[in-house]
Short mmCIF file of all heavy atoms in Angstrom, two decimals:
data_model
loop_
_atom_site.label_atom_id
_atom_site.label_comp_id
_atom_site.label_asym_id
_atom_site.label_seq_id
_atom_site.Cartn_x
_atom_site.Cartn_y
_atom_site.Cartn_z
N VAL R 251 0.84 -1.16 -0.03
CA VAL R 251 -0.05 -0.01 0.02
C VAL R 251 0.96 1.19 -0.01
O VAL R 251 1.80 1.32 0.82
CB VAL R 251 -0.98 0.01 1.20
CG1 VAL R 251 -1.70 1.27 1.24
CG2 VAL R 251 -1.78 -1.18 1.23
N THR R 252 0.67 2.16 -0.96
CA THR R 252 1.41 3.38 -1.06
C THR R 252 0.65 4.49 -0.21
O THR R 252 -0.55 4.73 -0.55
CB THR R 252 1.63 3.81 -2.47
OG1 THR R 252 2.23 2.72 -3.14
CG2 THR R 252 2.47 5.11 -2.52
N PRO R 253 1.28 5.21 0.67
CA PRO R 253 0.52 6.30 1.31
C PRO R 253 0.18 7.48 0.34
O PRO R 253 0.97 7.63 -0.59
CB PRO R 253 1.56 6.77 2.41
CG PRO R 253 2.91 6.28 1.89
CD PRO R 253 2.65 5.10 1.09
N THR R 254 -0.78 8.17 0.72
CA THR R 254 -1.14 9.29 -0.10
C THR R 254 -0.37 10.52 0.60
O THR R 254 0.45 10.39 1.37
CB THR R 254 -2.61 9.60 0.01
OG1 THR R 254 -3.02 9.78 1.52
CG2 THR R 254 -3.45 8.49 -0.53
N THR R 255 -0.49 11.66 0.03
CA THR R 255 0.13 12.96 0.58
C THR R 255 -0.12 12.91 2.06
O THR R 255 -1.25 12.61 2.51
CB THR R 255 -0.45 14.14 -0.16
OG1 THR R 255 -0.31 14.04 -1.48
CG2 THR R 255 0.27 15.36 0.31
N TYR R 256 0.86 13.28 2.82
CA TYR R 256 0.97 13.27 4.16
C TYR R 256 1.31 14.46 4.81
O TYR R 256 2.37 14.91 4.50
CB TYR R 256 1.83 12.08 4.57
CG TYR R 256 1.89 11.71 6.01
CD1 TYR R 256 0.80 11.60 6.84
CD2 TYR R 256 3.21 11.44 6.69
CE1 TYR R 256 0.85 11.21 8.21
CE2 TYR R 256 3.14 11.06 7.99
CZ TYR R 256 2.05 10.98 8.69
OH TYR R 256 2.10 10.56 10.11
N SER R 257 0.49 15.08 5.59
CA SER R 257 0.83 16.41 6.08
C SER R 257 -0.03 16.65 7.47
O SER R 257 -0.92 15.78 7.79
CB SER R 257 0.44 17.51 5.18
OG SER R 257 -1.02 17.54 4.88
N LEU R 258 0.37 17.65 8.20
CA LEU R 258 -0.17 17.98 9.51
C LEU R 258 -1.10 19.26 9.26
O LEU R 258 -0.66 20.05 8.44
CB LEU R 258 0.78 18.36 10.51
CG LEU R 258 1.61 17.27 11.11
CD1 LEU R 258 2.66 17.80 11.99
CD2 LEU R 258 0.76 16.46 11.96
N THR R 259 -2.23 19.32 9.82
CA THR R 259 -3.00 20.55 9.78
C THR R 259 -2.93 21.19 11.13
O THR R 259 -2.54 20.42 12.22
CB THR R 259 -4.47 20.20 9.42
OG1 THR R 259 -5.06 19.33 10.46
CG2 THR R 259 -4.63 19.62 8.04
N GLY R 260 -3.17 22.41 11.23
CA GLY R 260 -3.11 23.14 12.57
C GLY R 260 -1.65 23.44 12.82
O GLY R 260 -1.06 23.48 13.90
N LEU R 261 -1.01 23.96 11.60
CA LEU R 261 0.52 24.25 11.58
C LEU R 261 0.85 25.55 12.25
O LEU R 261 1.62 26.25 11.83
CB LEU R 261 1.00 24.10 10.23
CG LEU R 261 1.14 22.64 9.72
CD1 LEU R 261 1.74 22.65 8.43
CD2 LEU R 261 2.02 21.83 10.73
N THR R 262 0.11 25.94 13.32
CA THR R 262 0.53 27.16 14.03
C THR R 262 1.86 26.85 14.61
O THR R 262 2.04 25.82 15.25
CB THR R 262 -0.46 27.31 15.17
OG1 THR R 262 -1.84 27.61 14.65
CG2 THR R 262 -0.19 28.63 16.08
N THR R 263 2.73 27.73 14.36
CA THR R 263 4.11 27.46 14.83
C THR R 263 4.56 28.22 15.99
O THR R 263 5.65 28.27 16.48
CB THR R 263 5.08 27.66 13.69
OG1 THR R 263 5.01 29.01 13.06
CG2 THR R 263 4.87 26.70 12.58
N SER R 264 3.67 29.14 16.57
CA SER R 264 3.91 29.85 17.76
C SER R 264 2.70 29.89 18.66
O SER R 264 1.53 29.92 18.18
CB SER R 264 4.17 31.34 17.26
OG SER R 264 4.55 32.07 18.42
N VAL R 265 3.03 29.73 19.90
CA VAL R 265 1.97 29.66 21.01
C VAL R 265 2.47 30.30 22.20
O VAL R 265 3.66 30.16 22.56
CB VAL R 265 1.42 28.22 21.15
CG1 VAL R 265 2.51 27.29 21.73
CG2 VAL R 265 0.12 28.14 22.01
N ALA R 266 1.51 30.88 23.01
CA ALA R 266 2.11 31.33 24.33
C ALA R 266 2.23 30.23 25.30
O ALA R 266 1.48 29.25 25.21
CB ALA R 266 0.94 32.28 24.78
N HIS R 267 3.02 30.40 26.19
CA HIS R 267 3.31 29.36 27.26
C HIS R 267 1.99 29.07 27.98
O HIS R 267 1.31 29.98 28.31
CB HIS R 267 4.50 29.80 28.13
CG HIS R 267 4.46 29.79 29.56
ND1 HIS R 267 4.64 30.82 30.26
CD2 HIS R 267 4.07 28.84 30.39
CE1 HIS R 267 4.46 30.49 31.61
NE2 HIS R 267 4.12 29.25 31.61
N GLY R 268 1.75 27.76 28.19
CA GLY R 268 0.42 27.41 28.65
C GLY R 268 -0.63 27.20 27.68
O GLY R 268 -1.82 26.69 28.12
N GLY R 269 -0.36 27.60 26.40
CA GLY R 269 -1.39 27.44 25.44
C GLY R 269 -1.40 25.97 24.86
O GLY R 269 -0.63 25.05 25.05
N THR R 270 -2.54 25.86 24.00
CA THR R 270 -2.62 24.55 23.28
C THR R 270 -2.86 24.79 21.80
O THR R 270 -3.20 25.79 21.34
CB THR R 270 -3.91 23.75 23.90
OG1 THR R 270 -4.98 24.53 23.52
CG2 THR R 270 -3.78 23.43 25.38
N ILE R 271 -2.56 23.71 20.98
CA ILE R 271 -2.75 23.65 19.50
C ILE R 271 -3.40 22.23 19.34
O ILE R 271 -2.78 21.31 19.73
CB ILE R 271 -1.57 23.88 18.73
CG1 ILE R 271 -0.83 25.20 19.09
CG2 ILE R 271 -1.82 23.81 17.30
CD1 ILE R 271 0.55 25.44 18.46
N GLN R 272 -4.36 22.17 18.62
CA GLN R 272 -5.06 20.86 18.16
C GLN R 272 -4.52 20.65 16.75
O GLN R 272 -4.74 21.31 15.83
CB GLN R 272 -6.53 20.99 18.15
CG GLN R 272 -7.11 19.71 17.66
CD GLN R 272 -6.91 18.47 18.56
OE1 GLN R 272 -7.21 18.53 19.80
NE2 GLN R 272 -6.31 17.50 18.04
N PHE R 273 -3.63 19.59 16.70
CA PHE R 273 -3.16 19.10 15.40
C PHE R 273 -4.02 17.92 14.85
O PHE R 273 -4.57 17.19 15.70
CB PHE R 273 -1.64 18.62 15.56
CG PHE R 273 -0.66 19.75 15.75
CD1 PHE R 273 -0.26 20.10 17.03
CD2 PHE R 273 -0.23 20.50 14.78
CE1 PHE R 273 0.51 21.09 17.21
CE2 PHE R 273 0.69 21.54 14.85
CZ PHE R 273 1.08 21.77 16.23
N SER R 274 -4.09 17.75 13.63
CA SER R 274 -4.57 16.52 12.96
C SER R 274 -3.71 16.19 11.68
O SER R 274 -3.13 17.13 11.19
CB SER R 274 -6.09 16.74 12.62
OG SER R 274 -6.26 17.84 11.55
N ALA R 275 -3.65 14.94 11.44
CA ALA R 275 -2.98 14.49 10.27
C ALA R 275 -3.85 14.25 9.09
O ALA R 275 -4.99 13.92 9.30
CB ALA R 275 -2.20 13.23 10.63
N VAL R 276 -3.39 14.47 7.93
CA VAL R 276 -4.12 14.29 6.64
C VAL R 276 -3.26 13.43 5.81
O VAL R 276 -2.13 13.77 5.55
CB VAL R 276 -4.43 15.70 5.94
CG1 VAL R 276 -5.21 15.48 4.74
CG2 VAL R 276 -5.16 16.67 6.89
N GLY R 277 -3.95 12.41 5.25
CA GLY R 277 -3.28 11.50 4.33
C GLY R 277 -2.44 10.51 5.14
O GLY R 277 -2.81 10.21 6.20
N GLY R 278 -1.40 9.90 4.49
CA GLY R 278 -0.73 8.83 5.13
C GLY R 278 -1.46 7.61 5.12
O GLY R 278 -2.69 7.60 4.73
N TYR R 279 -0.98 6.56 5.63
CA TYR R 279 -1.54 5.29 5.71
C TYR R 279 -2.16 5.15 7.14
O TYR R 279 -1.59 5.24 8.12
CB TYR R 279 -0.57 4.16 5.35
CG TYR R 279 -1.25 2.81 5.51
CD1 TYR R 279 -2.05 2.23 4.55
CD2 TYR R 279 -1.00 1.94 6.66
CE1 TYR R 279 -2.57 1.02 4.65
CE2 TYR R 279 -1.51 0.73 6.69
CZ TYR R 279 -2.40 0.26 5.67
OH TYR R 279 -3.05 -0.97 5.73
N THR R 280 -3.59 4.78 7.16
CA THR R 280 -4.19 4.68 8.36
C THR R 280 -4.98 3.38 8.29
O THR R 280 -6.03 3.13 8.99
CB THR R 280 -5.26 5.80 8.58
OG1 THR R 280 -6.14 5.87 7.43
CG2 THR R 280 -4.54 7.12 8.75
N GLY R 281 -4.48 2.33 7.61
CA GLY R 281 -5.09 1.03 7.62
C GLY R 281 -6.22 0.99 6.68
O GLY R 281 -6.41 1.74 5.63
N THR R 282 -7.06 0.04 6.86
CA THR R 282 -8.26 -0.17 5.96
C THR R 282 -9.52 0.04 6.89
O THR R 282 -9.40 0.14 8.01
CB THR R 282 -8.27 -1.67 5.49
OG1 THR R 282 -8.46 -2.54 6.59
CG2 THR R 282 -6.95 -2.01 4.77
N SER R 283 -10.68 0.10 6.30
CA SER R 283 -11.88 0.25 6.91
C SER R 283 -12.07 -0.96 8.01
O SER R 283 -12.66 -0.77 9.03
CB SER R 283 -13.09 0.32 6.09
OG SER R 283 -13.18 -0.80 5.26
N ALA R 284 -11.58 -2.15 7.51
CA ALA R 284 -11.78 -3.31 8.49
C ALA R 284 -10.75 -3.28 9.60
O ALA R 284 -11.01 -3.78 10.65
CB ALA R 284 -11.64 -4.69 7.65
N VAL R 285 -9.52 -2.84 9.29
CA VAL R 285 -8.48 -2.76 10.29
C VAL R 285 -7.80 -1.39 10.28
O VAL R 285 -6.76 -1.20 9.75
CB VAL R 285 -7.30 -3.83 10.04
CG1 VAL R 285 -6.34 -3.79 11.15
CG2 VAL R 285 -7.88 -5.20 9.81
N PRO R 286 -8.47 -0.41 10.92
CA PRO R 286 -7.90 0.92 10.97
C PRO R 286 -6.75 1.06 11.85
O PRO R 286 -6.51 0.28 12.77
CB PRO R 286 -9.07 1.73 11.54
CG PRO R 286 -9.91 0.84 12.39
CD PRO R 286 -9.82 -0.47 11.71
N VAL R 287 -5.78 1.92 11.48
CA VAL R 287 -4.56 2.17 12.19
C VAL R 287 -4.50 3.63 12.56
O VAL R 287 -4.53 4.52 11.74
CB VAL R 287 -3.29 1.82 11.43
CG1 VAL R 287 -1.91 2.05 12.21
CG2 VAL R 287 -3.30 0.33 11.01
N ALA R 288 -4.40 4.02 13.82
CA ALA R 288 -4.30 5.31 14.33
C ALA R 288 -2.97 6.05 14.03
O ALA R 288 -1.99 5.29 14.10
CB ALA R 288 -4.68 5.38 15.77
N TYR R 289 -2.99 7.24 13.87
CA TYR R 289 -1.77 7.93 13.83
C TYR R 289 -1.11 7.94 15.26
O TYR R 289 -1.87 7.87 16.28
CB TYR R 289 -1.93 9.53 13.38
CG TYR R 289 -2.53 9.67 12.04
CD1 TYR R 289 -3.67 10.00 11.69
CD2 TYR R 289 -1.49 9.62 10.92
CE1 TYR R 289 -4.11 10.21 10.41
CE2 TYR R 289 -1.79 9.75 9.69
CZ TYR R 289 -3.18 10.01 9.40
OH TYR R 289 -3.48 10.27 8.15
N THR R 290 0.15 7.97 15.38
CA THR R 290 0.84 7.99 16.63
C THR R 290 1.47 9.40 16.84
O THR R 290 2.28 9.77 16.01
CB THR R 290 1.99 6.84 16.70
OG1 THR R 290 1.31 5.68 16.52
CG2 THR R 290 2.62 6.94 18.08
N TRP R 291 1.19 10.10 17.94
CA TRP R 291 1.73 11.44 18.17
C TRP R 291 2.83 11.31 19.23
O TRP R 291 2.68 10.61 20.21
CB TRP R 291 0.67 12.41 18.72
CG TRP R 291 -0.52 12.58 17.60
CD1 TRP R 291 -1.56 11.83 17.53
CD2 TRP R 291 -0.47 13.58 16.57
NE1 TRP R 291 -2.39 12.23 16.53
CE2 TRP R 291 -1.69 13.37 15.97
CE3 TRP R 291 0.35 14.62 16.20
CZ2 TRP R 291 -2.02 14.10 14.75
CZ3 TRP R 291 -0.16 15.35 15.15
CH2 TRP R 291 -1.28 15.08 14.44
N ALA R 292 3.81 12.16 19.12
CA ALA R 292 4.94 12.11 20.15
C ALA R 292 5.65 13.41 20.10
O ALA R 292 5.83 14.18 19.11
CB ALA R 292 5.83 10.92 19.97
N MET R 293 6.27 13.67 21.31
CA MET R 293 7.29 14.85 21.42
C MET R 293 8.64 14.33 20.89
O MET R 293 9.04 13.12 21.23
CB MET R 293 7.39 15.27 22.76
CG MET R 293 6.14 15.96 23.50
SD MET R 293 5.63 17.40 22.59
CE MET R 293 7.09 18.50 22.83
N VAL R 294 9.33 15.16 20.12
CA VAL R 294 10.75 14.85 19.72
C VAL R 294 11.62 15.48 20.73
O VAL R 294 12.50 14.94 21.26
CB VAL R 294 10.99 15.35 18.26
CG1 VAL R 294 12.38 15.14 17.86
CG2 VAL R 294 10.07 14.51 17.22
N SER R 295 11.32 16.72 20.95
CA SER R 295 12.13 17.56 21.90
C SER R 295 11.23 18.63 22.60
O SER R 295 10.29 19.07 21.92
CB SER R 295 13.33 18.11 21.35
OG SER R 295 13.13 19.00 20.31
N GLY R 296 11.70 19.11 23.67
CA GLY R 296 11.00 20.29 24.34
C GLY R 296 10.26 19.79 25.57
O GLY R 296 10.17 18.61 25.86
N ALA R 297 9.69 20.90 26.22
CA ALA R 297 8.98 20.54 27.48
C ALA R 297 7.61 20.30 27.45
O ALA R 297 6.94 19.94 28.36
CB ALA R 297 9.28 21.82 28.41
N GLY R 298 6.99 20.63 26.30
CA GLY R 298 5.46 20.41 25.99
C GLY R 298 5.05 18.91 25.99
O GLY R 298 5.90 18.08 26.18
N SER R 299 3.81 18.70 25.69
CA SER R 299 3.29 17.35 25.77
C SER R 299 2.31 17.42 24.56
O SER R 299 1.64 18.37 24.16
CB SER R 299 2.68 17.03 26.97
OG SER R 299 1.54 17.76 27.36
N ILE R 300 2.11 16.23 24.11
CA ILE R 300 1.08 15.96 22.98
C ILE R 300 0.35 14.63 23.31
O ILE R 300 0.99 13.63 23.65
CB ILE R 300 1.62 16.02 21.66
CG1 ILE R 300 0.41 15.98 20.64
CG2 ILE R 300 2.61 14.84 21.32
CD1 ILE R 300 0.88 16.50 19.14
N ASN R 301 -0.97 14.66 23.25
CA ASN R 301 -1.75 13.48 23.60
C ASN R 301 -2.05 12.62 22.38
O ASN R 301 -1.71 12.97 21.15
CB ASN R 301 -3.03 13.71 24.54
CG ASN R 301 -4.06 14.48 23.61
OD1 ASN R 301 -4.12 14.58 22.37
ND2 ASN R 301 -5.02 14.98 24.25
N SER R 302 -2.70 11.51 22.56
CA SER R 302 -2.92 10.56 21.49
C SER R 302 -3.89 11.18 20.44
O SER R 302 -4.09 10.53 19.36
CB SER R 302 -3.56 9.26 22.04
OG SER R 302 -4.65 9.43 22.64
N SER R 303 -4.61 12.16 20.72
CA SER R 303 -5.55 12.84 19.82
C SER R 303 -4.83 13.96 19.03
O SER R 303 -5.56 14.78 18.34
CB SER R 303 -6.69 13.33 20.53
OG SER R 303 -7.49 12.37 21.16
N GLY R 304 -3.68 14.38 19.27
CA GLY R 304 -2.87 15.43 18.62
C GLY R 304 -2.95 16.81 19.29
O GLY R 304 -2.78 17.75 18.69
N LEU R 305 -3.44 16.74 20.59
CA LEU R 305 -3.73 18.07 21.31
C LEU R 305 -2.33 18.29 22.00
O LEU R 305 -1.85 17.63 22.98
CB LEU R 305 -4.67 17.96 22.39
CG LEU R 305 -4.88 19.28 23.20
CD1 LEU R 305 -5.24 20.42 22.18
CD2 LEU R 305 -5.93 19.12 24.21
N TYR R 306 -1.64 19.40 21.54
CA TYR R 306 -0.39 19.81 22.14
C TYR R 306 -0.59 20.84 23.23
O TYR R 306 -1.33 21.78 22.99
CB TYR R 306 0.54 20.39 20.94
CG TYR R 306 1.64 21.18 21.59
CD1 TYR R 306 2.83 20.62 21.91
CD2 TYR R 306 1.57 22.69 21.56
CE1 TYR R 306 3.86 21.36 22.45
CE2 TYR R 306 2.66 23.39 22.10
CZ TYR R 306 3.77 22.75 22.47
OH TYR R 306 4.80 23.54 22.92
N THR R 307 0.10 20.70 24.39
CA THR R 307 0.12 21.76 25.49
C THR R 307 1.53 22.20 25.65
O THR R 307 2.34 21.37 25.96
CB THR R 307 -0.52 21.12 26.64
OG1 THR R 307 -1.88 20.55 26.36
CG2 THR R 307 -0.64 22.14 27.79
N SER R 308 1.66 23.51 25.66
CA SER R 308 2.95 24.13 25.97
C SER R 308 3.15 24.23 27.44
O SER R 308 2.29 24.41 28.13
CB SER R 308 3.15 25.43 25.21
OG SER R 308 2.28 26.32 25.79
N VAL R 309 4.44 24.20 27.86
CA VAL R 309 4.73 24.30 29.19
C VAL R 309 5.61 25.42 29.60
O VAL R 309 5.37 26.15 30.52
CB VAL R 309 5.51 22.99 29.68
CG1 VAL R 309 5.83 23.09 31.07
CG2 VAL R 309 4.46 21.76 29.53
N SER R 310 6.69 25.67 28.74
CA SER R 310 7.55 26.70 29.11
C SER R 310 8.14 27.37 27.77
O SER R 310 8.04 26.68 26.72
CB SER R 310 8.67 26.31 30.04
OG SER R 310 9.43 25.25 29.42
N ALA R 311 8.71 28.56 27.84
CA ALA R 311 9.22 29.20 26.74
C ALA R 311 10.31 28.39 26.07
O ALA R 311 11.17 27.75 26.79
CB ALA R 311 9.66 30.57 26.99
N GLY R 312 10.41 28.45 24.78
CA GLY R 312 11.50 27.73 24.08
C GLY R 312 10.99 27.12 22.73
O GLY R 312 10.01 27.58 22.21
N THR R 313 11.69 26.01 22.34
CA THR R 313 11.19 25.39 21.01
C THR R 313 10.87 23.91 21.35
O THR R 313 11.67 23.23 22.00
CB THR R 313 12.47 25.53 20.07
OG1 THR R 313 12.78 26.82 19.85
CG2 THR R 313 12.09 24.79 18.69
N ASP R 314 9.76 23.57 20.85
CA ASP R 314 9.21 22.27 21.06
C ASP R 314 9.09 21.52 19.65
O ASP R 314 8.77 22.32 18.61
CB ASP R 314 7.90 22.09 21.67
CG ASP R 314 7.92 22.41 23.20
OD1 ASP R 314 9.04 22.63 23.73
OD2 ASP R 314 6.94 22.40 23.84
N ILE R 315 9.35 20.35 19.44
CA ILE R 315 9.14 19.59 18.22
C ILE R 315 8.30 18.35 18.42
O ILE R 315 8.48 17.62 19.40
CB ILE R 315 10.47 19.15 17.52
CG1 ILE R 315 11.51 20.36 17.31
CG2 ILE R 315 10.19 18.48 16.17
CD1 ILE R 315 12.83 20.09 16.84
N ILE R 316 7.25 18.37 17.64
CA ILE R 316 6.35 17.18 17.68
C ILE R 316 6.51 16.32 16.55
O ILE R 316 6.83 16.88 15.39
CB ILE R 316 4.86 17.51 18.06
CG1 ILE R 316 4.20 18.40 16.88
CG2 ILE R 316 4.76 18.21 19.27
CD1 ILE R 316 2.71 18.50 16.95
N LYS R 317 5.99 15.13 16.51
CA LYS R 317 6.06 14.32 15.23
C LYS R 317 4.69 13.39 15.30
O LYS R 317 4.22 13.15 16.30
CB LYS R 317 7.23 13.38 15.10
CG LYS R 317 7.25 12.23 16.19
CD LYS R 317 8.35 11.35 15.79
CE LYS R 317 8.41 10.22 16.84
NZ LYS R 317 9.57 9.22 16.60
N VAL R 318 4.25 13.06 14.16
CA VAL R 318 3.11 12.22 13.89
C VAL R 318 3.68 11.08 12.94
O VAL R 318 4.38 11.34 11.99
CB VAL R 318 1.83 12.93 13.37
CG1 VAL R 318 2.10 13.62 11.98
CG2 VAL R 318 0.72 11.88 13.44
N THR R 319 3.28 9.82 13.27
CA THR R 319 3.66 8.58 12.46
C THR R 319 2.47 8.07 11.97
O THR R 319 1.59 7.77 12.77
CB THR R 319 4.57 7.75 13.36
OG1 THR R 319 5.60 8.44 13.89
CG2 THR R 319 5.05 6.58 12.53
N ASP R 320 2.43 7.66 10.74
CA ASP R 320 1.22 7.03 10.10
C ASP R 320 1.47 5.41 10.27
O ASP R 320 2.52 4.93 10.73
CB ASP R 320 1.00 7.38 8.65
CG ASP R 320 1.98 6.81 7.62
OD1 ASP R 320 2.95 6.07 8.04
OD2 ASP R 320 1.90 7.08 6.47
N GLY R 321 0.58 4.62 9.74
CA GLY R 321 0.62 3.08 9.94
C GLY R 321 1.73 2.53 9.25
O GLY R 321 2.01 1.31 9.47
N LEU R 322 2.43 3.15 8.25
CA LEU R 322 3.58 2.63 7.65
C LEU R 322 4.92 3.06 8.14
O LEU R 322 5.98 2.72 7.65
CB LEU R 322 3.52 2.96 6.03
CG LEU R 322 2.44 2.19 5.33
CD1 LEU R 322 2.48 2.70 3.84
CD2 LEU R 322 2.58 0.64 5.36
N GLY R 323 4.91 3.94 9.23
CA GLY R 323 6.13 4.47 9.75
C GLY R 323 6.51 5.79 9.17
O GLY R 323 7.65 6.28 9.56
N ASN R 324 5.77 6.33 8.22
CA ASN R 324 6.17 7.66 7.69
C ASN R 324 6.01 8.72 8.86
O ASN R 324 5.04 8.71 9.41
CB ASN R 324 5.17 7.98 6.56
CG ASN R 324 5.41 7.01 5.39
OD1 ASN R 324 6.55 6.70 4.88
ND2 ASN R 324 4.29 6.36 4.97
N ILE R 325 6.99 9.61 8.86
CA ILE R 325 6.87 10.62 10.00
C ILE R 325 6.88 12.10 9.39
O ILE R 325 7.65 12.33 8.40
CB ILE R 325 8.23 10.49 10.84
CG1 ILE R 325 8.22 9.08 11.51
CG2 ILE R 325 8.30 11.56 11.88
CD1 ILE R 325 9.54 8.78 12.25
N THR R 326 6.07 12.88 9.98
CA THR R 326 6.00 14.30 9.76
C THR R 326 6.25 15.04 11.03
O THR R 326 5.75 14.69 12.00
CB THR R 326 4.73 14.71 8.98
OG1 THR R 326 4.50 13.97 7.81
CG2 THR R 326 4.66 16.21 8.72
N GLN R 327 7.03 16.14 10.96
CA GLN R 327 7.33 16.79 12.14
C GLN R 327 7.01 18.31 11.97
O GLN R 327 6.87 18.85 10.86
CB GLN R 327 8.86 16.84 12.59
CG GLN R 327 9.40 15.49 12.83
CD GLN R 327 10.83 15.46 13.33
OE1 GLN R 327 11.29 14.65 13.97
NE2 GLN R 327 11.50 16.48 12.92
N VAL R 328 6.78 18.96 13.13
CA VAL R 328 6.49 20.48 13.07
C VAL R 328 7.27 20.99 14.38
O VAL R 328 7.28 20.42 15.43
CB VAL R 328 5.08 20.83 13.16
CG1 VAL R 328 4.36 20.45 14.38
CG2 VAL R 328 4.87 22.31 12.98
N THR R 329 7.84 22.27 14.11
CA THR R 329 8.62 22.88 15.24
C THR R 329 7.64 24.04 15.64
O THR R 329 7.11 24.73 14.93
CB THR R 329 9.83 23.48 14.74
OG1 THR R 329 10.70 22.48 14.14
CG2 THR R 329 10.61 24.26 15.82
N ILE R 330 7.57 24.16 16.94
CA ILE R 330 6.64 25.11 17.75
C ILE R 330 7.39 26.01 18.55
O ILE R 330 8.25 25.68 19.34
CB ILE R 330 5.55 24.42 18.59
CG1 ILE R 330 4.75 23.42 17.74
CG2 ILE R 330 4.71 25.41 19.18
CD1 ILE R 330 4.16 22.34 18.61
N THR R 331 7.23 27.36 18.35
CA THR R 331 7.92 28.26 19.17
C THR R 331 7.08 28.71 20.33
O THR R 331 5.94 29.16 20.04
CB THR R 331 8.40 29.55 18.47
OG1 THR R 331 9.34 29.22 17.29
CG2 THR R 331 9.12 30.64 19.34
N VAL R 332 7.50 28.47 21.51
CA VAL R 332 6.69 28.86 22.69
C VAL R 332 7.21 30.07 23.29
O VAL R 332 8.31 30.21 23.61
CB VAL R 332 6.79 27.72 23.73
CG1 VAL R 332 5.77 28.06 24.93
CG2 VAL R 332 6.30 26.42 23.18
N THR R 333 6.35 31.14 23.46
CA THR R 333 6.70 32.50 24.01
C THR R 333 6.24 32.67 25.38
O THR R 333 5.51 31.96 25.84
CB THR R 333 6.11 33.66 23.05
OG1 THR R 333 4.74 33.42 23.06
CG2 THR R 333 6.77 33.52 21.70
#
């Protein structure tokens, strides 16, 4: 199976400390209707956090990087500046 175009939506790259951004993934491989595969969200670096639904929460000023992985292991990242 070849993944389709794979990108993140909600690409706000700046947020105030304590703020949140809701990310969602578009495209990529998510399984079949019979066997769906969820995207996996994770922090690459920084003090913030991201949950399994793509909700990022900033903690302190600096730079955070998040990533999302599709069912085939394709990864897309975004860098967030926290002010």
Side-chain angles (χ1 to χ4, degrees):
V251 176
T252 303
T254 58
T255 301
Y256 185 42
S257 62
L258 287 171
T259 60
L261 288 179
T262 302
T263 57
S264 182
V265 65
H267 129 233
T270 62
I271 302 171
Q272 178 65 59
F273 289 95
S274 62
V276 177
Y279 180 71
T280 56
T282 64
S283 58
V285 184
V287 178
Y289 292 106
T290 303
W291 299 90
M293 293 296 300
V294 174
S295 64
S299 64
I300 190 158
N301 69 15
S302 61
S303 299
L305 180 64
Y306 163 81
T307 303
S308 64
V309 174
S310 59
T313 301
D314 290 356
I315 301 173
I316 63 164
K317 70 177 181 178
V318 60
T319 307
D320 73 1
L322 292 177
N324 298 305
I325 297 171
T326 300
Q327 294 186 157
V328 65
T329 299
I330 304 160
T331 301
V332 182
T333 57

